[in-house]
Amino acid sequence: MIPLEEAQAAILSAIRRARDTEVVALEQALTRYLAEPLQARVDHPGFDNSMMDGYALNVADARAHDYSLPVVGESSCGDAPKALSSGSAMRIYTGAPLPEGADAVVIQEDVEIVGGRVRVPAETAVGDNIRYRGEDYRKGEALYEPGRRLNPLDLALLGSAGIDKVAVYRRARALVASTGDELVPPGHALAPGQIYESNRLAISAQLRALGVDVVDGGIVADDVNALRAVLARSGEYDFVVTSGGASVGDHDLVKQAFNEIGTIQLWKVRIKPGKPIAFGHIGERTHFFVLPGNPVSSLVTFKFFVEPAVAVWHHAETRVWQLTAVAESAFRRRPGRTEFLRARLRSDRGRLLADPLAGQGSHMVGALRHTNGFIRVEAESEGFSAGDTVTVIPLEF
Ligand code: AMP
Ligand code: MG
Protein backbone atom coordinates (compact mmCIF):
# COMPACT_ATOMS: atom_id res chain seq x y z
CA MET A 1 0.00 0.00 0.00
CA ILE A 2 1.37 3.38 -0.89
CA PRO A 3 0.77 6.63 1.00
CA LEU A 4 -1.73 9.20 -0.24
CA GLU A 5 0.68 11.88 -1.44
CA GLU A 6 2.84 9.35 -3.23
CA ALA A 7 -0.18 7.88 -5.00
CA GLN A 8 -1.39 11.35 -5.99
CA ALA A 9 2.00 12.32 -7.36
CA ALA A 10 2.28 9.05 -9.29
CA ILE A 11 -1.13 9.53 -10.85
CA LEU A 12 -0.62 13.17 -11.75
CA SER A 13 2.74 12.56 -13.35
CA ALA A 14 1.14 9.87 -15.52
CA ILE A 15 -1.59 12.08 -16.96
CA ARG A 16 -1.47 12.62 -20.71
CA ARG A 17 -2.73 16.14 -21.05
CA ALA A 18 -5.28 17.44 -23.54
CA ARG A 19 -3.91 18.62 -26.84
CA ASP A 20 -7.01 19.53 -28.86
CA THR A 21 -8.45 22.96 -28.42
CA GLU A 22 -11.52 24.77 -29.67
CA VAL A 23 -12.74 28.34 -29.68
CA VAL A 24 -15.93 29.06 -27.78
CA ALA A 25 -17.97 32.19 -27.14
CA LEU A 26 -17.58 33.66 -23.67
CA GLU A 27 -21.20 32.64 -22.97
CA GLN A 28 -20.15 29.01 -23.43
CA ALA A 29 -16.88 29.25 -21.55
CA LEU A 30 -17.99 28.60 -17.96
CA THR A 31 -16.10 25.58 -16.47
CA ARG A 32 -13.91 25.40 -19.59
CA TYR A 33 -10.10 25.46 -19.28
CA LEU A 34 -8.18 28.15 -21.15
CA ALA A 35 -5.79 26.98 -23.83
CA GLU A 36 -4.24 30.39 -24.56
CA PRO A 37 -2.92 33.34 -22.58
CA LEU A 38 -5.34 36.26 -22.67
CA GLN A 39 -4.55 39.97 -22.73
CA ALA A 40 -6.84 42.92 -22.19
CA ARG A 41 -8.08 44.46 -25.43
CA VAL A 42 -8.83 47.82 -23.80
CA ASP A 43 -7.72 49.99 -20.93
CA HIS A 44 -9.91 49.67 -17.88
CA PRO A 45 -11.38 52.10 -17.00
CA GLY A 46 -11.48 53.07 -20.66
CA PHE A 47 -11.48 56.83 -19.85
CA ASP A 48 -11.27 59.05 -16.80
CA ASN A 49 -14.74 59.07 -15.25
CA SER A 50 -16.68 59.96 -12.16
CA MET A 51 -16.99 57.64 -9.20
CA MET A 52 -20.09 59.44 -7.89
CA ASP A 53 -23.03 61.63 -8.84
CA GLY A 54 -21.89 65.22 -8.34
CA TYR A 55 -20.02 68.09 -9.96
CA ALA A 56 -16.82 68.01 -12.00
CA LEU A 57 -14.51 70.96 -11.60
CA ASN A 58 -10.94 72.16 -11.75
CA VAL A 59 -9.57 72.55 -8.23
CA ALA A 60 -7.29 75.57 -9.01
CA ASP A 61 -10.18 77.21 -10.79
CA ALA A 62 -12.53 76.58 -7.86
CA ARG A 63 -10.00 78.08 -5.45
CA ALA A 64 -9.66 81.16 -7.71
CA HIS A 65 -13.46 81.58 -7.56
CA ASP A 66 -13.75 81.17 -3.82
CA TYR A 67 -15.25 77.67 -4.19
CA SER A 68 -18.44 78.92 -5.80
CA LEU A 69 -18.98 78.09 -9.49
CA PRO A 70 -21.83 78.30 -11.97
CA VAL A 71 -23.00 74.92 -13.32
CA VAL A 72 -22.44 74.69 -17.08
CA GLY A 73 -23.30 71.52 -19.00
CA GLU A 74 -23.74 67.94 -17.96
CA SER A 75 -21.96 64.58 -18.42
CA SER A 76 -24.12 61.45 -18.27
CA CYS A 77 -23.12 57.83 -18.90
CA GLY A 78 -22.52 57.26 -22.59
CA ASP A 79 -21.88 60.95 -23.28
CA ALA A 80 -18.82 62.50 -24.85
CA PRO A 81 -18.97 65.79 -22.91
CA LYS A 82 -17.56 69.09 -24.03
CA ALA A 83 -14.53 70.44 -22.20
CA LEU A 84 -15.16 72.12 -18.89
CA SER A 85 -15.50 75.86 -19.49
CA SER A 86 -13.16 77.80 -17.33
CA GLY A 87 -14.60 79.12 -14.08
CA SER A 88 -17.48 76.62 -14.04
CA ALA A 89 -18.50 73.21 -12.73
CA MET A 90 -20.26 70.51 -14.74
CA ARG A 91 -23.04 68.24 -13.51
CA ILE A 92 -21.76 64.65 -13.71
CA TYR A 93 -23.05 61.16 -12.93
CA THR A 94 -21.42 57.93 -11.79
CA GLY A 95 -19.46 56.35 -14.63
CA ALA A 96 -19.83 59.39 -16.92
CA PRO A 97 -16.69 60.72 -18.68
CA LEU A 98 -14.78 63.43 -16.89
CA PRO A 99 -14.78 66.57 -19.11
CA GLU A 100 -11.41 67.80 -20.30
CA GLY A 101 -10.07 70.40 -17.88
CA ALA A 102 -11.72 68.88 -14.79
CA ASP A 103 -9.49 67.25 -12.16
CA ALA A 104 -11.93 66.49 -9.33
CA VAL A 105 -15.55 65.56 -8.67
CA VAL A 106 -17.41 66.81 -5.62
CA ILE A 107 -20.23 64.51 -4.59
CA GLN A 108 -23.66 66.05 -4.67
CA GLU A 109 -24.22 65.52 -0.93
CA ASP A 110 -21.28 67.87 -0.25
CA VAL A 111 -22.39 70.88 -2.29
CA GLU A 112 -24.77 73.71 -1.68
CA ILE A 113 -26.70 75.04 -4.65
CA VAL A 114 -27.44 78.71 -4.53
CA GLY A 115 -28.93 80.46 -7.53
CA GLY A 116 -27.49 78.15 -10.19
CA ARG A 117 -24.05 78.07 -8.56
CA VAL A 118 -22.51 75.26 -6.57
CA ARG A 119 -20.55 75.95 -3.44
CA VAL A 120 -17.99 73.17 -2.91
CA PRO A 121 -15.85 72.38 0.13
CA ALA A 122 -12.48 74.09 0.35
CA GLU A 123 -10.86 70.70 1.09
CA THR A 124 -11.66 69.50 -2.43
CA ALA A 125 -8.46 67.98 -3.80
CA VAL A 126 -7.20 66.97 -7.23
CA GLY A 127 -8.25 63.37 -7.97
CA ASP A 128 -11.27 63.31 -5.65
CA ASN A 129 -13.87 60.79 -6.85
CA ILE A 130 -12.17 60.16 -10.18
CA ARG A 131 -11.54 56.75 -11.67
CA TYR A 132 -8.54 57.13 -13.94
CA ARG A 133 -8.13 55.52 -17.32
CA GLY A 134 -6.16 52.27 -17.09
CA GLU A 135 -5.83 52.29 -13.30
CA ASP A 136 -7.40 48.82 -13.16
CA TYR A 137 -5.58 47.26 -16.11
CA ARG A 138 -4.02 48.37 -19.37
CA LYS A 139 -4.69 47.30 -22.93
CA GLY A 140 -2.30 44.45 -23.70
CA GLU A 141 -1.84 43.54 -20.04
CA ALA A 142 -1.68 39.78 -19.39
CA LEU A 143 -4.84 38.70 -17.61
CA TYR A 144 -4.82 34.89 -17.79
CA GLU A 145 -2.48 32.01 -18.41
CA PRO A 146 -3.48 28.71 -20.06
CA GLY A 147 -5.02 26.10 -17.77
CA ARG A 148 -7.31 28.47 -15.94
CA ARG A 149 -10.74 26.95 -15.33
CA LEU A 150 -13.14 29.79 -16.01
CA ASN A 151 -15.59 30.74 -13.29
CA PRO A 152 -18.28 33.45 -13.30
CA LEU A 153 -15.80 36.04 -11.93
CA ASP A 154 -13.45 35.30 -14.82
CA LEU A 155 -16.28 35.83 -17.31
CA ALA A 156 -16.94 39.24 -15.75
CA LEU A 157 -13.29 40.26 -16.10
CA LEU A 158 -12.92 38.87 -19.62
CA GLY A 159 -16.10 40.62 -20.75
CA SER A 160 -14.84 43.92 -19.33
CA ALA A 161 -11.59 43.42 -21.22
CA GLY A 162 -13.44 43.13 -24.54
CA ILE A 163 -12.84 39.41 -25.01
CA ASP A 164 -15.74 37.63 -26.67
CA LYS A 165 -14.21 34.29 -27.63
CA VAL A 166 -11.60 32.11 -25.97
CA ALA A 167 -9.56 29.09 -26.99
CA VAL A 168 -10.16 26.28 -24.51
CA TYR A 169 -9.09 22.68 -24.23
CA ARG A 170 -11.58 20.19 -25.52
CA ARG A 171 -13.73 18.71 -22.77
CA ALA A 172 -12.50 15.38 -21.48
CA ARG A 173 -14.80 12.47 -22.33
CA ALA A 174 -15.46 9.99 -19.57
CA LEU A 175 -17.21 6.65 -19.35
CA VAL A 176 -18.72 5.95 -15.94
CA ALA A 177 -19.96 2.53 -14.82
CA SER A 178 -20.78 0.75 -11.60
CA THR A 179 -20.04 -2.90 -11.07
CA GLY A 180 -21.93 -5.25 -8.76
CA ASP A 181 -24.50 -8.04 -9.10
CA GLU A 182 -26.46 -6.54 -6.22
CA LEU A 183 -26.96 -3.10 -7.74
CA VAL A 184 -30.30 -1.77 -8.94
CA PRO A 185 -31.02 1.78 -10.11
CA PRO A 186 -33.43 3.77 -7.95
CA GLY A 187 -36.98 3.55 -9.26
CA HIS A 188 -36.97 -0.26 -9.50
CA ALA A 189 -38.28 -2.72 -6.94
CA LEU A 190 -35.58 -4.43 -4.92
CA ALA A 191 -35.37 -8.22 -4.94
CA PRO A 192 -33.85 -9.87 -1.83
CA GLY A 193 -30.15 -9.06 -1.52
CA GLN A 194 -30.28 -6.11 -3.91
CA ILE A 195 -29.43 -2.51 -3.07
CA TYR A 196 -29.91 0.81 -4.76
CA GLU A 197 -26.97 2.05 -6.75
CA SER A 198 -25.69 5.57 -6.18
CA ASN A 199 -22.04 5.84 -7.21
CA ARG A 200 -22.61 6.29 -10.93
CA LEU A 201 -24.79 9.32 -10.32
CA ALA A 202 -22.40 10.95 -7.85
CA ILE A 203 -19.32 10.28 -9.97
CA SER A 204 -21.02 11.55 -13.14
CA ALA A 205 -22.27 14.67 -11.37
CA GLN A 206 -18.82 15.45 -10.01
CA LEU A 207 -17.23 14.92 -13.42
CA ARG A 208 -19.77 17.18 -15.09
CA ALA A 209 -19.13 19.86 -12.49
CA LEU A 210 -15.46 19.68 -13.52
CA GLY A 211 -16.43 20.30 -17.15
CA VAL A 212 -16.23 16.70 -18.38
CA ASP A 213 -18.55 15.10 -20.98
CA VAL A 214 -19.90 11.97 -19.32
CA VAL A 215 -21.22 8.84 -20.99
CA ASP A 216 -23.19 6.45 -18.81
CA GLY A 217 -21.84 2.92 -18.93
CA GLY A 218 -24.64 1.63 -16.70
CA ILE A 219 -24.52 -1.09 -14.08
CA VAL A 220 -22.26 -3.99 -14.96
CA ALA A 221 -22.60 -7.47 -13.50
CA ASP A 222 -19.67 -9.04 -11.62
CA ASP A 223 -18.73 -10.98 -14.68
CA VAL A 224 -15.60 -10.62 -16.78
CA ASN A 225 -17.48 -10.82 -20.04
CA ALA A 226 -19.93 -8.12 -19.00
CA LEU A 227 -17.05 -5.90 -17.95
CA ARG A 228 -15.17 -6.64 -21.17
CA ALA A 229 -18.23 -5.62 -23.18
CA VAL A 230 -18.50 -2.26 -21.39
CA LEU A 231 -14.77 -1.62 -21.71
CA ALA A 232 -14.65 -2.67 -25.36
CA ARG A 233 -14.70 0.94 -26.56
CA SER A 234 -12.79 2.42 -23.66
CA GLY A 235 -10.09 3.66 -26.05
CA GLU A 236 -12.56 6.34 -27.18
CA TYR A 237 -12.51 8.01 -23.77
CA ASP A 238 -10.01 10.11 -21.91
CA PHE A 239 -11.19 8.69 -18.61
CA VAL A 240 -12.94 5.50 -17.62
CA VAL A 241 -14.18 5.57 -14.04
CA THR A 242 -15.75 2.49 -12.54
CA SER A 243 -16.74 1.74 -8.98
CA GLY A 244 -16.89 -1.55 -7.14
CA GLY A 245 -15.15 -4.84 -7.59
CA ALA A 246 -11.84 -3.55 -6.34
CA SER A 247 -11.88 -5.18 -2.90
CA VAL A 248 -10.59 -8.66 -2.21
CA GLY A 249 -13.82 -10.53 -3.09
CA ASP A 250 -14.05 -9.26 -6.64
CA HIS A 251 -10.41 -8.23 -6.84
CA ASP A 252 -9.47 -10.57 -9.63
CA LEU A 253 -12.44 -9.69 -11.75
CA VAL A 254 -11.70 -6.02 -12.31
CA LYS A 255 -7.98 -6.65 -12.29
CA GLN A 256 -8.38 -9.26 -15.00
CA ALA A 257 -10.59 -7.08 -17.19
CA PHE A 258 -8.30 -4.04 -16.98
CA ASN A 259 -5.13 -6.07 -17.33
CA GLU A 260 -6.41 -7.48 -20.60
CA ILE A 261 -6.86 -4.07 -22.18
CA GLY A 262 -4.41 -1.85 -20.35
CA THR A 263 -1.79 -1.45 -17.67
CA ILE A 264 -2.55 -1.09 -13.98
CA GLN A 265 -0.05 1.28 -12.39
CA LEU A 266 -1.30 1.40 -8.86
CA TRP A 267 -3.61 -0.74 -6.85
CA LYS A 268 -3.93 0.17 -3.19
CA VAL A 269 -3.50 3.44 -1.32
CA ARG A 270 -3.06 3.82 2.43
CA ILE A 271 -6.20 5.92 2.99
CA LYS A 272 -9.46 5.36 4.80
CA PRO A 273 -12.05 5.12 3.47
CA GLY A 274 -10.91 4.09 0.05
CA LYS A 275 -8.00 1.68 0.24
CA PRO A 276 -8.73 -0.35 -2.90
CA ILE A 277 -8.34 2.00 -5.81
CA ALA A 278 -6.70 1.25 -9.13
CA PHE A 279 -5.30 3.60 -11.71
CA GLY A 280 -3.79 2.91 -15.08
CA HIS A 281 -3.84 3.45 -18.80
CA ILE A 282 -5.58 1.88 -21.75
CA GLY A 283 -3.76 2.60 -25.00
CA GLU A 284 -2.36 6.04 -25.61
CA ARG A 285 -5.38 8.03 -24.61
CA THR A 286 -7.36 6.53 -21.79
CA HIS A 287 -6.80 6.87 -18.06
CA PHE A 288 -8.82 4.54 -15.90
CA PHE A 289 -9.78 4.67 -12.27
CA VAL A 290 -11.37 1.80 -10.40
CA LEU A 291 -12.91 3.33 -7.29
CA PRO A 292 -14.15 1.37 -4.29
CA GLY A 293 -17.81 0.38 -4.24
CA ASN A 294 -18.60 1.83 -0.84
CA PRO A 295 -20.32 5.11 -1.69
CA VAL A 296 -18.31 7.17 0.77
CA SER A 297 -15.06 5.58 -0.34
CA SER A 298 -15.88 6.39 -3.92
CA LEU A 299 -16.54 10.03 -2.99
CA VAL A 300 -13.27 10.36 -1.07
CA THR A 301 -11.17 8.71 -3.74
CA PHE A 302 -12.84 10.80 -6.42
CA LYS A 303 -11.95 13.96 -4.55
CA PHE A 304 -8.30 13.06 -3.98
CA PHE A 305 -7.45 11.19 -7.17
CA VAL A 306 -9.93 11.75 -9.99
CA GLU A 307 -10.58 15.45 -9.47
CA PRO A 308 -6.89 16.44 -9.56
CA ALA A 309 -6.32 14.13 -12.54
CA VAL A 310 -9.10 15.80 -14.50
CA ALA A 311 -7.71 19.23 -13.66
CA VAL A 312 -4.21 18.27 -14.77
CA TRP A 313 -5.54 16.69 -17.96
CA HIS A 314 -6.97 20.13 -18.81
CA HIS A 315 -3.61 21.78 -17.96
CA ALA A 316 -5.02 23.26 -14.76
CA GLU A 317 -3.43 23.35 -11.36
CA THR A 318 -4.76 20.95 -8.78
CA ARG A 319 -6.22 22.79 -5.93
CA VAL A 320 -7.48 20.85 -2.93
CA TRP A 321 -7.68 23.37 -0.09
CA GLN A 322 -6.44 22.23 3.28
CA LEU A 323 -7.30 24.63 6.09
CA THR A 324 -7.02 24.50 9.84
CA ALA A 325 -10.11 24.38 12.02
CA VAL A 326 -10.98 23.75 15.63
CA ALA A 327 -12.51 20.33 16.32
CA GLU A 328 -15.91 20.57 17.98
CA SER A 329 -15.79 17.03 19.31
CA ALA A 330 -13.28 14.25 19.85
CA PHE A 331 -12.39 11.39 17.54
CA ARG A 332 -10.31 8.37 18.57
CA ARG A 333 -8.90 5.60 16.44
CA ARG A 334 -6.02 3.20 15.86
CA PRO A 335 -3.24 4.70 13.75
CA GLY A 336 -2.63 3.24 10.28
CA ARG A 337 -4.04 4.97 7.25
CA THR A 338 -4.58 8.61 6.44
CA GLU A 339 -8.27 9.02 7.22
CA PHE A 340 -10.89 11.44 6.00
CA LEU A 341 -13.84 12.01 8.29
CA ARG A 342 -17.09 13.43 7.04
CA ALA A 343 -17.50 16.67 8.87
CA ARG A 344 -19.75 19.64 9.24
CA LEU A 345 -17.75 22.85 8.88
CA ARG A 346 -19.08 26.14 10.14
CA SER A 347 -17.67 29.48 11.07
CA ASP A 348 -18.18 31.08 14.43
CA ARG A 349 -17.05 34.69 14.91
CA GLY A 350 -14.29 34.29 12.38
CA ARG A 351 -13.14 30.86 13.55
CA LEU A 352 -13.57 27.77 11.41
CA LEU A 353 -15.06 24.88 13.39
CA ALA A 354 -15.23 21.25 12.28
CA ASP A 355 -17.54 18.65 13.75
CA PRO A 356 -16.75 15.03 12.90
CA LEU A 357 -20.16 13.52 12.17
CA ALA A 358 -21.59 10.37 13.70
CA GLY A 359 -21.72 7.38 11.36
CA GLN A 360 -18.21 7.24 9.89
CA GLY A 361 -18.48 3.63 8.67
CA SER A 362 -17.43 3.58 5.05
CA HIS A 363 -20.78 1.98 4.15
CA MET A 364 -22.71 4.75 5.95
CA VAL A 365 -24.11 7.58 3.87
CA GLY A 366 -26.62 9.20 6.25
CA ALA A 367 -24.10 11.78 7.41
CA LEU A 368 -23.65 13.04 3.85
CA ARG A 369 -26.65 15.31 4.37
CA HIS A 370 -24.61 17.28 6.91
CA THR A 371 -21.23 16.93 5.22
CA ASN A 372 -19.58 20.01 3.74
CA GLY A 373 -16.00 18.99 4.33
CA PHE A 374 -13.55 16.35 5.49
CA ILE A 375 -11.32 16.30 8.53
CA ARG A 376 -7.94 14.85 7.65
CA VAL A 377 -6.42 12.49 10.22
CA GLU A 378 -2.74 11.71 9.56
CA ALA A 379 -1.66 8.08 9.24
CA GLU A 380 0.21 8.00 12.55
CA SER A 381 -2.45 9.95 14.50
CA GLU A 382 -4.63 8.45 17.22
CA GLY A 383 -7.28 11.10 16.69
CA PHE A 384 -8.00 14.39 18.38
CA SER A 385 -9.87 15.98 21.27
CA ALA A 386 -12.48 18.70 21.21
CA GLY A 387 -10.70 22.03 20.90
CA ASP A 388 -7.71 20.58 19.02
CA THR A 389 -6.60 22.12 15.75
CA VAL A 390 -7.36 19.82 12.82
CA THR A 391 -6.80 19.94 9.07
CA VAL A 392 -9.96 20.22 7.00
CA ILE A 393 -10.78 20.04 3.33
CA PRO A 394 -13.87 22.08 2.47
CA LEU A 395 -16.12 20.67 -0.22
CA GLU A 396 -17.75 23.03 -2.68
CA PHE A 397 -20.33 21.74 -5.09
P1 AMP B 1 -17.13 -3.61 -3.73
O1 AMP B 1 -16.09 -2.53 -3.89
O2 AMP B 1 -17.72 -4.03 -5.04
O3 AMP B 1 -16.59 -4.76 -2.95
O4 AMP B 1 -18.31 -2.99 -2.91
C1 AMP B 1 -18.16 -2.58 -1.58
C2 AMP B 1 -19.50 -2.23 -1.00
O5 AMP B 1 -20.09 -1.14 -1.70
C3 AMP B 1 -20.52 -3.32 -1.08
O6 AMP B 1 -21.31 -3.28 0.10
C4 AMP B 1 -21.36 -2.98 -2.29
O7 AMP B 1 -22.66 -3.49 -2.23
C5 AMP B 1 -21.37 -1.48 -2.21
N1 AMP B 1 -21.47 -0.88 -3.53
C6 AMP B 1 -20.73 -1.23 -4.60
N2 AMP B 1 -21.06 -0.48 -5.67
C7 AMP B 1 -22.01 0.39 -5.25
C8 AMP B 1 -22.75 1.41 -5.89
N3 AMP B 1 -22.53 1.71 -7.18
N4 AMP B 1 -23.68 2.08 -5.18
C9 AMP B 1 -23.89 1.77 -3.89
N5 AMP B 1 -23.22 0.84 -3.22
C10 AMP B 1 -22.29 0.12 -3.90
MG1 MG C 1 -18.92 -5.47 -5.72
Side-chain angles (χ1 to χ4, degrees), residues 179-183 222 243-247 250 293:
T179 69
D181 286 338
E182 74 283 26
L183 305 176
D222 287 318
S243 79
S247 50
D250 325 282

Side-chain angles (χ1 to χ4, degrees), residues 177-180 182-183 195-200 219 222 243-250 276 291-295 363:
S178 283
T179 69
E182 74 283 26
L183 305 176
I195 63 165
Y196 286 125
E197 193 276 326
S198 57
N199 293 350
R200 218 168 15 126
I219 296 174
D222 287 318
S243 79
S247 50
V248 186
D250 325 282
L291 306 185
N294 273 316
H363 62 295

Side-chain angles (χ1 to χ4, degrees), residues 372-393:
N372 61 356
F374 295 123
I375 296 175
R376 177 181 173 137
V377 184
E378 300 303 334
E380 62 282 2
S381 165
E382 294 185 333
F384 49 83
S385 308
D388 282 358
T389 297
V390 291
T391 300
V392 298
I393 293 101

Side-chain angles (χ1 to χ4, degrees), residues 111-131:
V111 307
E112 251 179 89
I113 311 230
V114 195
R117 297 178 79 86
V118 276
R119 167 157 287 284
V120 302
E123 307 80 68
T124 303
V126 171
D128 280 359
N129 300 304
I130 295 175
R131 306 155 164 173

